[in-house]
Amino acid sequence: MKTLNDSLREEFREILNEEDIKEMIVAKELDLQIIEQAFEKLLNNKYGTDESTLIEKGRADFETFIINTLRTQTH
Amino acid sequence: MIINKVIITNFFCFIDENPFEFKKGLNIVSAPNTGGKSQLFNAFYWTFFDKVYLDNVAKGKKEWTSNSNSLILCPDKLKSETKEGEKIITSVEISLSDEFYLNNEPQDDIVEYLFKKQVVYLKNKNDVSVYGRPELEITYIRDGETNFILSHNQSYFLEKIFPSSIRKFMWYQGETMDELYDFSNPSTLKNAIREISYFPIYDNMEKIVKASNLSITKKIEKELGQQNKLSELERELIRNINASAQSIENKKSNIKDLELDIENLRDEEAVIQQKLSNYDKYRDVKEKLASLESDLKMTLTQISACDTYTKETLLNKWMLNGCEKIINSSAKNLNIINEEIQAFQKSSNPVPLNVPGPEYIEQMLRDCKCYICEREANTDTPAYEALKRRLNDFEKSASNKILQENYTELNRARRKLVNELPEINSEIRSEQEKRDSLIKERNRINKKIKNILDEFGQENGSIIASGAATASQLINKWDSIKNSIVRKRENLNKTHIELEKLNDELIAYQEKGSKIIKNAVGNIVEKQAGEYITLFVKSISKLSAIAHAKLIREIQDESNKLYSLYLGGKQQGLIEIDRGIRVIDKITKEGLNDLSTAETVARKLAVANAFLSLSEKKMKRSYPIVADAPTSDFDANNTYNLTVNIGDSFQQMIIMSKDYASFSYLELEKLIKEAKISKFYELRNELIEPNEIDSRINRKTFIKTIK
């Protein structure tokens, strides 16, 4: 049975297939795997409220993942 | 979520312990009027939401009552039979299975929650009173341990499992359908959409990626600063880029706030419009009444003036009515008087009439000499006699003068009367006609006033007056909201213009900056991360917009599917969801506003059920629908269609209705099979002791399990 996260992933993938987003991925040579994994970080923090600490936690998770993954790749 | 079991003890018509078991799918509780179905609904509502739907004797109508601390919910039989000083315990226990909630997030782990609400009453001499206030206990078993949801967390927990924005779709009283499904109010739709959709999730994601976008820009700047690769001018340029980006974000946030404010104001406006549609009639009626009352006052004044004129003027004349002959014949008597006057004036006497006065004549008689002709007038001579006669004439002349004056006066009055007499009748008649017509007008106005008051079902206009006052207040509030909307829109336009300028400014900075950064940055990780984050900012905001449009289409499609099912394919149009919800013609797309009650109810049910059905599909959150009398406006066919088709849309539905009581046994058997009914109960309120007197204290609800 499809979970809520499955539905959210599905909708995000549809957006990644939109023409302008696709062009952006190609032009900036972005890695689809990193995009999908970064989206997982957003999914982990999807139930935040307006509290700035929760937004900050989500931001840190998301941003750190992208930076660390890119650093690992660079090395 | 599945409601498994309900045990009702000593609650209104349910005496002692009354267990109900419910299953997945469609559960029906059939009962004729007074059977106890509404009290079963009340048992649920009292337990979860501390309210009951009861008769308000003072207002003469049913309404939601939340004052459960003082409500007496125990059965009349127990009130009457319990001995003084003894206690009565009323309780409801509900067990349901649902996902385990920890903070905000369901944990994909089903647990059984037990809700137990109890209130204790004390029997006094003549009545019962609340002895122990109603208390709700919520427990669940997890990992072999019984856990309690503490009372200060209960409302939060109830909000999680029955979100208030869609609570009214899952718990509803057919009689209050209109107020529950107020889809003309855009916020009803908006809140429900938020509840069943991902929008709060997308909003949250958007906040995270935007915060990350700002953060990464700062990191890039810091990184470049550390590498000392930029000149002061270049750093200044990057600072400008960051400041512009920050200002743009602020402006966007302002725009969002303003749009939200406008949206909220429009919601408020819709609520006022809706309220006004209920109260506006009072304003019209009050204006009509005021105009009628002013007409009435004027008519009464005219009637009064008419009466005064009749009394003061016409009555005197009227009394002479029929005296014409007497008045005419008085001419003869007046002629006699006139002749007498004339005769007196013609009498001959050598002493002239214009002598100075009687004293002068008396002196002449004493002196026996006439001083007019200077001759002797001795006693017994004709001259002396003539003077004596003239002395008498003075007295006669005075009375003759009075007589003449009276004659003149009488003659004038007679002539006037003779002239007026023929017109008295017609004047009286015309005055009477005028009065009759004014009275008719008065009666007509009174009747109109009475009709208006009767229409509102009361003897006086107090409700109209207060309704009109409310309408005026609402109009004032509406005006103020309209003004606020205009001001907010002006502000919004101004902010948009400022945003455009800032965007131009940023583009100019970025054009210069990108070259510098490209040269300076080379391939630092933060720069690459920034590109990923920019992609997320763009795609998440796009996701939210696309998902909204898609969701509206899905709600519309689901509503139309259910609408058709509930009406057995005989629907006249299609449900359209825009800002509000309406039914439109399939071809002309014009709104249909002459739908039957059944169609209107089916529309509301279809939309509400579409929300719950989609919530189940989209958010993986299922809610049981517990409905009291949802089919009360349906005929037997529609009830049958609805029952057969409604169960498929939901994981669990409990319908309480009197409409199945009229079905024959064979029809019920067919319905249970076709509608795949999981449980079917029949409730009957009957005498406890059949040979005793029929009274509330000798009655209770009996439960029969049909399936």
Side-chain angles (χ1 to χ4, degrees):
Chain A
M1 191 183 159
K2 205 160 69 174
T3 64
L4 169 62
N5 280 356
D6 289 340
S7 304
L8 291 165
R9 282 185 199 107
E10 201 176 281
E11 292 200 353
F12 183 64
R13 273 189 213 114
E14 279 176 31
I15 291 295
L16 294 183
N17 279 327
E18 293 273 315
E19 225 27 69
D20 53 340
I21 303 286
K22 247 187 344 199
E23 276 171 21
M24 201 170 166
I25 293 171
V26 174
K28 305 276 177 185
E29 296 175 3
L30 303 179
D31 183 343
L32 258 180
Q33 205 183 340
I34 295 178
I35 295 170
E36 284 182 2
Q37 284 171 346
F39 187 70
E40 291 299 314
K41 297 291 164 193
L42 292 179
L43 287 180
N44 292 345
N45 292 285
K46 65 181 180 293
Y47 284 118
T49 60
D50 278 339
E51 281 176 54
S52 55
T53 47
L54 288 168
I55 299 290
E56 184 49 30
K57 181 190 166 291
R59 182 205 63 77
D61 275 2
F62 170 72
E63 197 179 308
T64 312
F65 168 78
I66 296 175
I67 293 174
N68 286 349
T69 313
L70 290 171
R71 279 215 175 104
T72 315
Q73 277 187 355
T74 315
H75 293 295
Chain B
M1 182 194 302
I2 300 289
I3 294 175
N4 302 313
K5 198 170 181 182
V6 181
I7 303 171
I8 305 173
T9 309
N10 298 333
F11 186 86
F12 291 114
C13 52
F14 293 99
I15 299 175
D16 300 330
E17 216 176 76
N18 296 268
F20 289 87
E21 278 184 16
F22 297 109
K23 288 189 172 172
K24 265 189 178 181
L26 186 56
N27 298 265
I28 302 278
V29 179
S30 164
N33 284 335
T34 72
K37 55 185 168 25
S38 294
Q39 301 312 354
L40 171 60
F41 185 85
N42 272 337
F44 279 113
Y45 223 85
W46 176 66
T47 310
F48 293 132
F49 313 120
D50 205 32
K51 276 183 186 175
V52 281
Y53 190 64
L54 289 179
D55 261 331
N56 181 326
V57 181
K59 291 183 184 169
K61 61 173 188 177
K62 282 181 113 178
E63 62 180 21
W64 287 106
T65 309
S66 54
N67 193 12
S68 78
N69 280 350
S70 58
L71 275 178
I72 306 295
L73 308 168
C74 63
D76 289 336
K77 179 180 165 63
L78 298 188
K79 279 189 224 168
S80 158
E81 291 176 0
T82 305
K83 286 180 189 156
E84 192 181 337
E86 285 185 357
K87 296 186 182 86
I88 306 164
I89 297 175
T90 289
S91 70
V92 178
E93 281 180 50
I94 302 170
S95 83
L96 57 86
S97 309
D98 196 15
E99 276 186 286
F100 174 62
Y101 283 84
L102 186 67
N103 297 325
N104 275 309
E105 200 161 355
Q107 303 287 302
D108 293 336
D109 178 11
I110 302 292
V111 295
E112 184 157 343
Y113 292 96
L114 182 69
F115 294 74
K116 185 174 180 184
K117 190 160 186 174
Q118 180 176 295
V119 57
V120 182
Y121 300 107
L122 178 71
K123 174 73 190 244
N124 305 315
K125 202 172 179 184
N126 298 316
D127 58 1
V128 291
S129 57
V130 177
Y131 181 73
R133 285 170 51 196
E135 276 183 20
L136 175 65
E137 184 184 279
I138 310 175
T139 55
Y140 61 94
I141 297 172
R142 195 160 188 260
D143 302 329
E145 290 284 332
T146 301
N147 298 279
F148 287 81
I149 293 185
L150 301 175
S151 55
H152 63 270
N153 282 333
Q154 285 179 354
S155 33
Y156 174 78
F157 173 72
L158 283 164
E159 181 61 35
K160 281 288 142 208
I161 62 168
F162 303 124
S164 48
S165 55
I166 52 174
R167 187 178 294 170
K168 53 189 178 184
F169 304 148
M170 51 179 136
W171 297 89
Y172 61 81
Q173 247 290 348
E175 291 173 37
T176 59
M177 184 89 80
D178 281 342
E179 49 189 279
L180 291 184
Y181 295 147
D182 179 18
F183 283 126
S184 56
N185 180 357
S187 60
T188 310
L189 196 62
K190 194 174 69 188
N191 293 337
I193 284 175
R194 280 190 74 80
E195 205 57 59
I196 64 158
S197 68
Y198 315 139
F199 298 117
I201 293 175
Y202 287 150
D203 280 353
N204 204 45
M205 287 181 173
E206 203 170 353
K207 278 179 196 157
I208 292 173
V209 294
K210 279 187 175 170
S212 194
N213 198 28
L214 276 178
S215 151
I216 201 72
T217 315
K218 280 180 192 158
K219 279 183 182 166
I220 294 171
E221 191 193 347
K222 197 177 158 194
E223 186 63 26
L224 293 175
Q226 277 172 358
Q227 291 179 16
N228 233 350
K229 287 186 179 174
L230 297 177
S231 69
E232 186 50 41
L233 259 176
E234 286 166 340
R235 277 201 204 96
E236 175 73 26
L237 183 63
I238 290 175
R239 275 196 291 277
N240 286 341
I241 292 173
N242 288 339
S244 290
Q246 183 62 54
S247 304
I248 286 171
E249 278 311 309
N250 292 344
K251 289 286 169 204
K252 279 183 181 169
S253 163
N254 286 348
I255 286 173
K256 218 171 178 180
D257 288 347
L258 282 166
E259 281 172 346
L260 191 69
D261 287 350
I262 291 171
E263 184 79 1
N264 288 339
L265 285 167
R266 286 183 68 190
D267 282 354
E268 265 186 68
E269 198 182 10
V271 171
I272 287 177
Q273 275 175 305
Q274 176 69 21
K275 280 188 189 165
L276 204 55
S277 66
N278 294 330
Y279 282 104
D280 218 18
K281 62 184 175 204
Y282 291 113
R283 217 164 53 98
D284 292 347
V285 167
K286 197 191 167 194
E287 275 172 18
K288 222 184 264 179
L289 273 178
S291 149
L292 284 170
E293 272 158 11
S294 142
D295 288 353
L296 182 66
K297 203 172 166 187
M298 207 167 79
T299 312
L300 289 174
T301 311
Q302 284 174 334
I303 292 172
S304 168
C306 211
D307 285 345
T308 311
Y309 177 73
T310 308
K311 270 184 205 157
E312 289 177 359
T313 316
L314 282 182
L315 205 61
N316 292 340
K317 289 185 182 178
W318 179 80
M319 285 170 77
L320 292 172
N321 196 20
C323 298
E324 205 172 345
K325 270 185 186 172
I326 302 170
I327 292 164
N328 282 334
S329 65
S330 69
K332 201 173 151 191
N333 295 330
L334 283 171
N335 280 343
I336 295 169
I337 295 169
N338 191 31
E339 278 167 18
E340 203 176 311
I341 293 165
Q342 298 300 325
F344 173 74
Q345 283 171 350
K346 278 179 189 167
S347 66
S348 58
N349 192 326
V351 185
L353 264 172
N354 56 350
V355 287
E359 297 80 8
Y360 191 56
I361 302 286
E362 277 169 358
Q363 187 60 45
M364 285 195 283
L365 285 170
R366 271 194 302 276
D367 295 347
C368 293
K369 192 175 176 179
C370 173
Y371 293 118
I372 298 162
C373 58
E374 293 293 329
R375 282 184 296 186
E376 295 296 321
N378 291 323
T379 322
D380 299 332
T381 62
Y384 186 85
E385 289 303 317
L387 280 171
K388 263 173 87 177
R389 276 205 313 277
R390 181 55 74 210
L391 188 65
N392 289 337
D393 282 348
F394 273 111
E395 286 170 20
K396 277 186 185 172
S397 173
S399 59
N400 196 49
K401 199 178 170 191
I402 291 166
L403 190 64
Q404 193 164 7
E405 278 170 9
N406 284 344
Y407 168 76
T408 312
E409 184 67 23
L410 282 169
N411 206 27
R412 193 187 301 130
R414 186 191 68 83
R415 275 205 306 274
K416 192 177 166 219
L417 283 171
V418 168
N419 285 337
E420 284 178 356
L421 272 176
E423 285 170 16
I424 286 174
N425 273 340
S426 65
E427 197 175 344
I428 288 172
R429 221 175 7 255
S430 108
E431 203 59 28
Q432 192 61 39
E433 278 167 7
K434 188 176 158 193
R435 192 172 184 279
D436 286 349
S437 130
L438 283 168
I439 284 174
K440 268 186 198 162
E441 175 68 8
R442 181 197 67 189
N443 293 345
R444 195 181 58 79
I445 296 171
N446 272 335
K447 200 174 169 188
K448 273 189 181 175
I449 292 174
K450 189 175 175 298
N451 284 346
I452 290 173
L453 293 176
D454 281 353
E455 204 180 308
F456 286 85
Q458 78 246 300
E459 293 291 51
N460 56 55
S462 61
I463 290 179
I464 295 173
S466 72
T470 312
S472 300
Q473 282 170 5
L474 287 171
I475 285 174
N476 289 341
K477 204 171 168 191
W478 190 12
D479 285 342
S480 125
I481 288 174
K482 280 195 277 193
N483 289 336
S484 300
I485 291 177
V486 169
R487 279 198 303 277
K488 295 265 178 199
R489 282 204 174 124
E490 283 168 2
N491 210 348
L492 184 65
N493 288 340
K494 207 174 122 196
T495 316
H496 271 298
I497 293 167
E498 286 167 359
L499 178 66
E500 221 169 291
K501 272 188 195 164
L502 281 168
N503 272 328
D504 292 345
E505 197 179 273
L506 181 66
I507 289 168
Y509 284 139
Q510 277 173 336
E511 270 173 15
K512 285 186 203 166
S514 63
K515 281 180 196 165
I516 298 165
I517 290 171
K518 204 173 177 183
N519 296 335
V521 169
N523 242 351
I524 67 165
V525 165
E526 283 76 6
K527 169 75 173 47
Q528 285 177 35
E531 277 159 2
Y532 278 94
I533 292 165
T534 309
L535 174 101
F536 270 94
V537 171
K538 205 170 173 185
S539 47
I540 299 287
S541 67
K542 204 166 182 182
L543 198 54
S544 179
I546 289 176
H548 186 268
K550 195 175 156 195
L551 184 67
I552 293 285
R553 274 199 312 277
E554 281 174 330
I555 298 170
Q556 198 169 283
D557 292 348
E558 185 75 10
S559 302
N560 276 311
K561 194 182 103 194
L562 297 173
Y563 186 53
S564 165
L565 285 175
Y566 298 166
L567 292 173
K570 289 177 185 161
Q571 72 278 16
Q572 291 194 63
L574 290 171
I575 293 174
E576 185 200 59
I577 300 178
D578 190 9
R579 270 185 67 79
I581 292 167
R582 60 184 191 149
V583 173
I584 54 164
D585 184 79
K586 288 172 195 167
I587 294 169
T588 64
K589 307 288 176 205
E590 290 292 318
L592 304 177
N593 48 16
D594 56 346
L595 298 172
S596 69
T597 315
E599 284 170 308
T600 311
V601 172
R603 171 179 62 100
K604 288 179 176 176
L605 269 178
V607 177
N609 292 347
F611 275 104
L612 294 182
S613 162
L614 283 174
S615 168
E616 199 165 324
K617 285 178 194 160
K618 295 232 147 220
M619 303 293 281
K620 313 300 162 208
R621 271 155 65 183
S622 75
Y623 303 102
I625 294 188
V626 181
D628 181 17
T631 54
S632 55
D633 289 311
F634 283 11
D635 60 20
N637 268 342
N638 285 332
T639 302
Y640 198 94
N641 282 330
L642 182 109
T643 313
V644 168
N645 295 304
I646 204 165
D648 286 341
S649 313
F650 307 98
Q651 207 177 14
Q652 187 184 40
M653 184 155 196
I654 302 171
I655 293 182
M656 302 153 199
S657 173
K658 69 175 190 316
D659 302 318
Y660 305 102
S662 60
F663 284 29
S664 70
Y665 179 74
L666 282 174
E667 281 173 325
L668 272 187
E669 208 175 32
K670 192 176 160 230
L671 181 69
I672 289 172
K673 208 171 163 188
E674 253 189 85
K676 299 183 207 97
I677 294 172
S678 311
K679 292 292 283 181
F680 196 110
Y681 289 103
E682 194 178 272
L683 306 184
R684 288 204 176 271
N685 190 278
E686 287 173 351
L687 293 178
I688 300 166
E689 295 294 339
N691 299 326
E692 300 281 318
I693 299 169
D694 185 358
S695 150
R696 281 278 290 266
I697 58 170
N698 186 27
R699 278 189 167 274
K700 66 173 256 188
T701 289
F702 292 87
I703 307 168
K704 187 178 169 190
T705 309
I706 305 284
K707 189 190 172 191

